[in-house]
Amino acid sequence: MASVDVSGLTISFPLYHGDARSLKKTLGGALNRRALSGRFAQDNRQRVMVQALTDVSFSLCPGERLGLVGRNGAGKTTLLRALAGIYEPVKGRVLLRGRIGSLLDTSLGMNPELSGRENIRLRCLFSGLSEKAIAEVEQDVESFAGLGSFMDLPLKTYSSGMAVRLAFGLATAIMPQILIMDEWFMAGDASFIQRAEQRIAGLVEGAEILIVSSHMPEIISQWCTRLIWMEQGRVVMDGPTEEILHAYLSAEQ
Amino acid sequence: MSSNEQPAPETAENTMADVSSPRRPPVPDEPELRSEIAAQGPEPVLDLRPEKGFAHIRHAARDFRDGFALFRLGWTLGWLDIKLRYRGSMLGPFWMTISTAILVGSMGVLYATLFHIELRIYLPFLSFSLILWAYLNTTVSDGCATFTSSSGLIHAMRMPFSLHVLRVTVRNFLTFLHSVGVIALVFIIFRIAPVPDWQIPAGLVLWGTDLYAITLLTGVLGARFRDMPPVTASIMQILFFVTPVLWKPDLIYAGRQYMLLDPCYPLIEIIRGPFMGLSVRPSIWLVAVLYSIALWIVSFSLFARMRARLAYWV
């Protein structure tokens, strides 16, 4: 059974670039006037740290579809990356059971110089699949993404919608139990979004847990069973979709 | 599984226009994939928290294990890097072979005259040393970008960091193979035969592991400090002249004993000697092994300490 458990997760980025001391002074001065100081801290070596996530805790059961909402810079992408195991926690704990499929980076973790087929192969090799299984995945992704002869052309010749279809098809083909998606993937058109939803629903034993961040209320309310509203790297509200979405949208206006 | 039917064969869909095609099953049946995923055992557990004490070393060791388990992927990535380099080039890899041959040929004649050494002795020495040095130099300079150049991959999904090191090691090895033909040609022309004994395999293994460790070390440092490329470039420049690459080690009389302080000298000598049919002093082997152990300790402990932070830096 897939499950996600996050407790007291804190993530902070050190700022190495430029003169940290003078940056600290500038920021310190600016921050005292505005109430932003929660985002900046200092570690014990006097380095300035950006507090990306502070004390985030939640857990998900199989079947839950979590949406993350919040403004730009609220820490949604950082949280998704921490869940995918890319950023290891500075404090707290992240515990995931299940195969993880992630659609995070805008480059999709693919090489733009390589063809769609080659990129599929690489992803399959990462999952340790044999040639036979790779052929199956290739066929599956091909029929989902509908790229036709573009499959053998370099990724850089694709339109952004085509690249997204390929990446989504690939991430879902290897049957993840936990699927983590960032908001850029909504770059697809309406028909794609519809097909994507069907595909997720069609993964019977795959994608038992879906975690997605989005700015689009329609998609969120259609896809998610639970929402977390984030602000300044903290969880503001956590609960059923309707309730949180209503509170979030009315706060934004 | 909603249906067993295979997806319809692709119709000619050459246009950017898109996928309003008839409804296909959302997930087609994939018996092989299913059985293979099932064979991979129970679902993996990812348990992350701040590392304390020996957890650093344990996790780094696990990273290595996972990375080598993905050897096929590492090899393919390195191979594709080389393939992409020549996409759109006419002579492709032969450019490198030709330019190496020209460099070795012209420098060989010039320095043989300057040093008053017979060409028959000097040219094989120079070709072997120069090509080996180029391999070492590429490893050090490419190593700095091991993690920074894979930042897209690192930010896209969790994978062992040692996989990126493996990829760069494979790429550099394949680059090196481009020039091996030049060495072979020179050796055949001047009738130089390697001594076939334990020294050749031992030397190759030591080189392989050392180059991996160098890539790891410079990769971690290069991810944190962006001024690593110029720093390593100037260090390698100095080492190039200090190490007997252009000049034969028996040219130096005063201060011979200090030569072992240069880590590159024993490392190059243990492989150059056996291949050129010359014996290598045991002291050189001893020093080479000691330097390698030191290199591994330094790079492994640095990697273990910094592994969890790498994704934050790139």
Side-chain angles (χ1 to χ4, degrees):
Chain A
M1 286 297 241
S3 71
V4 174
D5 245 303
V6 178
S7 52
L9 175 65
T10 296
I11 282 190
S12 49
F13 286 88
L15 286 182
Y16 292 119
H17 311 289
D19 185 352
R21 284 187 167 274
S22 71
L23 183 65
K24 183 189 73 183
K25 272 185 210 151
T26 339
L27 288 174
L31 294 177
N32 287 338
R33 268 170 269 130
R34 288 169 225 153
L36 261 172
S37 50
R39 286 322 274 289
F40 294 92
Q42 255 180 43
D43 72 352
N44 42 18
R45 277 189 276 164
Q46 302 287 303
R47 286 179 305 200
V48 180
M49 312 283 279
V50 180
Q51 200 77 23
L53 293 176
T54 315
D55 199 19
V56 174
S57 303
F58 63 90
S59 50
L60 298 174
C61 313
E64 273 197 286
R65 296 176 171 198
L66 175 70
L68 297 178
V69 290
R71 281 187 220 154
N72 286 336
K76 300 187 298 282
T77 302
T78 310
L79 178 56
L80 291 177
R81 283 190 178 156
L83 287 174
I86 294 164
Y87 294 143
E88 298 196 4
V90 173
K91 264 186 227 149
R93 182 177 185 189
V94 175
L95 178 63
L96 278 88
R97 284 173 208 281
R99 289 185 304 278
I100 303 167
S102 49
L103 285 163
L104 293 174
D105 199 70
T106 40
S107 76
L108 316 165
M110 299 203 208
N111 188 335
E113 302 289 331
L114 295 175
S115 72
R117 209 177 292 283
E118 285 168 316
N119 273 300
I120 293 175
R121 228 189 116 67
L122 288 180
R123 183 66 186 73
C124 290
L125 284 178
F126 177 67
S127 304
L129 300 179
S130 71
E131 294 298 326
K132 240 170 137 185
I134 292 178
E136 281 180 0
V137 172
E138 231 175 60
Q139 172 127 58
D140 175 18
V141 176
E142 208 171 344
S143 76
F144 174 80
L147 296 172
S149 48
F150 273 86
M151 281 290 276
D152 293 303
L153 291 181
L155 221 64
K156 61 181 177 188
T157 62
Y158 289 22
S159 70
S160 56
M162 291 162 88
V164 165
R165 290 207 301 270
L166 178 68
F168 182 81
L170 186 52
T172 44
I174 310 179
M175 304 187 193
Q177 293 165 309
I178 302 169
L179 185 58
I180 301 172
M181 292 194 294
D182 207 352
E183 57 204 12
W184 56 263
F185 125 94
M186 307 296 169
D189 52 20
S191 96
F192 166 69
I193 300 278
Q194 198 197 343
R195 278 155 44 81
E197 206 197 349
Q198 277 172 12
R199 189 167 162 100
I200 288 183
L203 290 162
V204 182
E205 51 184 341
E208 286 175 348
I209 294 179
L210 176 73
I211 305 168
V212 58
S213 85
S214 178
H215 282 303
M216 300 165 94
E218 316 85 66
I219 288 182
I220 287 271
S221 60
Q222 203 180 333
W223 285 42
C224 302
T225 58
R226 177 175 166 188
L227 282 193
I228 286 182
W229 172 12
M230 298 188 65
E231 208 65 68
Q232 305 282 335
R234 290 167 198 273
V235 175
V236 180
M237 282 176 92
D238 176 0
T241 307
E242 292 307 314
E243 196 183 307
I244 307 293
L245 196 60
H246 182 73
Y248 170 66
L249 290 177
S250 46
E252 284 296 283
Q253 275 152 19
Chain B
M1 199 48 13
S2 53
S3 126
N4 271 352
E5 69 190 45
Q6 287 296 310
E10 280 300 326
T11 44
E13 263 183 321
N14 299 2
T15 46
M16 302 275 280
D18 142 270
V19 223
S20 42
S21 44
R23 181 161 300 181
R24 299 190 181 98
V27 184
D29 208 3
E30 296 160 314
E32 192 70 26
L33 175 65
R34 266 164 204 288
S35 66
E36 272 180 36
I37 286 182
Q40 285 177 0
E43 66 218 8
V45 177
L46 183 66
D47 185 3
L48 299 173
R49 50 189 133 178
E51 296 174 326
K52 287 196 188 73
F54 284 110
H56 286 289
I57 293 178
R58 225 176 39 242
H59 292 169
R62 193 174 58 200
D63 189 293
F64 271 109
R65 210 181 54 224
D66 295 348
F68 282 109
L70 291 171
F71 185 82
R72 251 169 91 214
L73 177 62
W75 182 272
T76 313
L77 283 170
W79 172 253
L80 286 172
D81 282 342
I82 297 281
K83 209 173 110 185
L84 285 178
R85 195 182 288 172
Y86 300 126
R87 205 162 262 186
S89 148
M90 292 232 289
L91 278 182
F94 295 107
W95 278 119
M96 247 189 86
T97 316
I98 293 170
S99 64
T100 314
I102 293 174
L103 179 75
V104 168
S106 49
M107 275 180 90
V109 173
L110 174 67
Y111 280 84
T113 323
L114 284 179
F115 289 142
H116 304 292
I117 311 176
E118 269 184 83
L119 197 63
R120 166 175 75 77
I121 296 169
Y122 186 65
L123 196 61
F125 169 85
L126 182 79
S127 64
F128 199 91
S129 322
L130 264 188
I131 290 166
L132 209 58
W133 185 265
Y135 187 18
L136 185 65
N137 199 19
T138 324
T139 299
V140 172
S141 59
D142 268 22
C144 298
T146 304
F147 299 118
T148 46
S149 62
S150 313
S151 67
L153 218 50
I154 290 173
H155 284 162
M157 65 181 89
R158 180 182 175 85
M159 44 172 71
F161 285 100
S162 53
L163 179 71
H164 306 293
V165 181
L166 187 63
R167 169 194 190 163
V168 175
T169 316
V170 167
R171 184 172 70 208
N172 289 330
F173 174 66
L174 292 174
T175 311
F176 164 69
L177 284 188
H178 289 48
S179 319
V180 166
V182 178
I183 299 181
L185 189 71
V186 171
F187 276 30
I188 289 170
I189 291 175
F190 293 97
R191 302 230 168 89
I192 303 266
V195 211
D197 63 353
W198 62 272
Q199 294 195 40
I200 288 183
L204 291 177
V205 167
L206 202 63
W207 257 74
T209 50
D210 279 356
L211 291 180
Y212 189 88
I214 291 173
T215 313
L216 184 68
L217 179 68
T218 51
V220 174
L221 290 174
R224 169 67 182 83
F225 302 104
R226 296 304 153 97
D227 20 32
M228 273 300 280
V231 170
T232 53
S234 43
I235 292 177
M236 288 309 280
Q237 182 82 38
I238 296 165
L239 285 176
F240 176 69
F241 291 109
V242 175
T243 312
V245 177
L246 289 180
W247 46 278
K248 298 195 72 169
D250 33 327
L251 278 180
I252 194 165
Y253 297 107
R256 260 191 114 130
Q257 62 275 31
Y258 298 116
M259 266 169 61
L260 287 177
L261 290 178
D262 168 10
C264 298
Y265 169 58
L267 199 62
I268 285 198
E269 198 55 37
I270 55 160
I271 197 152
R272 184 170 56 194
F275 267 101
M276 295 197 58
L278 307 167
S279 61
V280 178
R281 276 182 287 135
S283 63
I284 291 190
W285 263 104
L286 178 71
V287 177
V289 169
L290 288 179
Y291 273 128
S292 305
I293 292 172
L295 174 67
W296 262 102
I297 291 174
V298 170
S299 38
F300 184 79
S301 32
L302 188 73
F303 176 66
R305 180 83 186 75
M306 296 306 176
R307 188 193 52 83
R309 302 300 293 169
L310 282 173
Y312 288 79
W313 291 342
V314 295

